[in-house]
Amino acid sequence: MRMYEAQLTDSLLKVLIEFSEDWEKERSCHGYRANGRTDIEGNRIFIAEDGGQIIGYLFGNHVNSKNSSSIMPEGTPCFEVEELYIIPSRRNSGIGSALFRFVEEQVKDRAEYFLLSTATKNYRAILHFYIDEVGMQFWSARLFKKL
């Protein structure tokens, strides 16, 4: 397996959009919609590839913290993950963790924190992944109940 940072090309954009269309069809995240070009452009893009086939991606961008003073000083340099996706047939095999750790190494010279939000419907699995497997800390939750 190979992991690398990629420049956005038309052929890579096509693959990332197709993956996001598949993800939308899974209906695993509240409100998730497939990406378009403008959702991906301007982000750093990291790829997991096996046997010449892309099997996952992570993209995000460098930001300075805002409204985060309970965790870090305002203006702290961070890397905010927009999406982490692994194709369904390769999930739960360590690829997501490996890609996450690869990206941490790539961005740590410009970021003090990794940030992300999730709207997954399977909160137990996602909390296990991000807290137990990759070592993130819990910050906040937004909950809902239909009346």
Side-chain angles (χ1 to χ4, degrees):
M1 183 169 37
R2 179 171 92 107
M3 295 183 195
Y4 58 93
E5 184 169 3
Q7 297 300 313
L8 188 60
T9 63
D10 287 339
S11 60
L12 178 57
L13 179 65
K14 182 177 186 276
V15 171
L16 297 179
I17 288 174
E18 286 172 359
F19 281 167
S20 74
E21 289 169 347
D22 291 343
W23 194 359
E24 180 181 35
K25 289 174 190 167
E26 288 179 33
R27 300 181 53 88
S28 61
C29 294
H30 297 285
Y32 184 81
R33 63 160 179 77
N35 293 313
R37 175 182 291 272
T38 58
D39 298 311
I40 300 169
E41 285 180 330
N43 286 290
R44 290 184 71 179
I45 302 166
F46 300 90
I47 301 296
E49 185 180 277
D50 192 20
Q53 296 292 328
I54 295 174
I55 57 173
Y57 66 84
L58 184 154
F59 68 79
N61 216 328
H62 293 275
V63 298
N64 291 320
S65 66
K66 293 184 285 188
N67 303 319
S68 307
S69 61
S70 64
I71 302 296
M72 68 192 80
E74 295 295 307
T76 300
C78 302
F79 185 80
E80 187 159 11
V81 176
E82 291 294 325
E83 287 188 5
L84 169 59
Y85 179 80
I86 306 299
I87 62 172
S89 64
R90 300 298 296 271
R91 291 181 188 158
N92 300 308
S93 63
I95 295 166
S97 298
L99 183 57
F100 192 91
R101 288 187 177 93
F102 173 79
V103 175
E104 283 181 311
E105 286 298 313
Q106 302 305 305
V107 304
K108 71 180 181 181
D109 63 324
R110 290 185 51 203
E112 292 181 37
Y113 288 86
F114 234 48
L115 301 174
L116 63 85
S117 297
T118 181
T120 187
K121 293 176 182 176
N122 187 351
Y123 69 89
R124 285 182 177 92
I126 209 73
L127 289 175
H128 169 72
F129 175 76
Y130 285 118
I131 292 173
D132 299 332
E133 291 187 26
V134 299
M136 294 192 85
Q137 294 181 26
F138 188 82
W139 178 5
S140 68
R142 184 173 178 109
L143 308 173
F144 69 93
K145 179 179 178 182
K146 183 157 174 48
L147 302 176

